[in-house]
Amino acid sequence: MLVIAFALLYGYKSGLLIILYSVLHELGHLTALLAFGVEIREIKLSFFGFGIKFDGLLSLPKEALMLLFGPMVNLVLFLLFRDSINLMLFVLNMLPIFPLDGGRLLLLFFTKTGKYISLTFLLLLTAVSTVLCFKYGSFPLLLISVYLFLFNMRLL
């Protein structure tokens, strides 16, 4: 869903790059898990994105590093190629909104208040994306906000 929204934001021609950079992002997470000696059970692609299921639990520092490895791939690719797609993927994924990587980091370190902080940022993102939609006719960010809102409503 997020990849589709980004493809709409950047145009059809960039769609393949968005998919490629998203796959490389997920490979960053997978690389971290393999480096930590985790046994991977399943890698799943769905309408909502990629999911990696693994056996065992990670320590807090290892889980934090694993969550950072995906966005760091996009940051490194942005620094190498200076393309806005990787910058947007990095920024979006680091937002403190669950289920994004930044939101998962937030919940990892702020177990009691993280959910409320995440929902606050989600409301802010939704407000900003609504203004952008009406002012500039740009709706992909609003589409991402709606997806994140619906995802979070399932968890409440």
Side-chain angles (χ1 to χ4, degrees), residues 22-36 38 40 50 52 54 58 62-74 93-94 99-102 104:
S22 296
V23 168
L24 292 174
H25 170 104
E26 294 305 323
L27 286 175
H29 295 303
L30 184 61
T31 300
L33 289 170
L34 293 173
F36 298 144
V38 173
I40 306 300
F50 286 92
I52 302 171
F54 55 92
L58 294 174
K62 285 183 178 179
E63 188 167 350
L65 282 172
M66 182 273 300
L67 289 169
L68 287 169
F69 264 52
M72 290 303 120
V73 167
N74 295 117
N93 275 287
M94 290 307 296
L100 302 173
D101 296 325
R104 291 180 189 273

Side-chain angles (χ1 to χ4, degrees), residues 26-127:
E26 294 305 323
L27 286 175
H29 295 303
L30 184 61
T31 300
L33 289 170
L34 293 173
F36 298 144
V38 173
E39 187 173 325
I40 306 300
R41 279 192 302 139
E42 180 182 17
I43 300 172
K44 186 170 137 182
L45 174 63
S46 73
F47 179 72
F48 299 105
F50 286 92
I52 302 171
K53 294 187 179 190
F54 55 92
D55 292 326
L57 295 174
L58 294 174
S59 66
L60 189 118
K62 285 183 178 179
E63 188 167 350
L65 282 172
M66 182 273 300
L67 289 169
L68 287 169
F69 264 52
M72 290 303 120
V73 167
N74 295 117
L75 181 60
V76 168
L77 289 171
F78 166 71
L79 294 172
L80 288 173
F81 301 119
R82 300 282 184 211
D83 67 341
S84 58
I85 295 171
N86 274 304
L87 179 61
M88 289 302 295
L89 286 170
F90 171 76
V91 170
L92 179 69
N93 275 287
M94 290 307 296
L95 289 175
I97 301 170
F98 188 80
L100 302 173
D101 296 325
R104 291 180 189 273
L105 280 166
L106 177 71
L107 294 176
L108 190 63
F109 290 103
F110 298 96
T111 54
K112 292 183 181 181
T113 58
K115 180 167 62 170
Y116 304 107
I117 297 169
S118 177
L119 288 174
T120 301
F121 273 93
L122 178 54
L123 289 172
L124 289 170
L125 178 67
T126 303

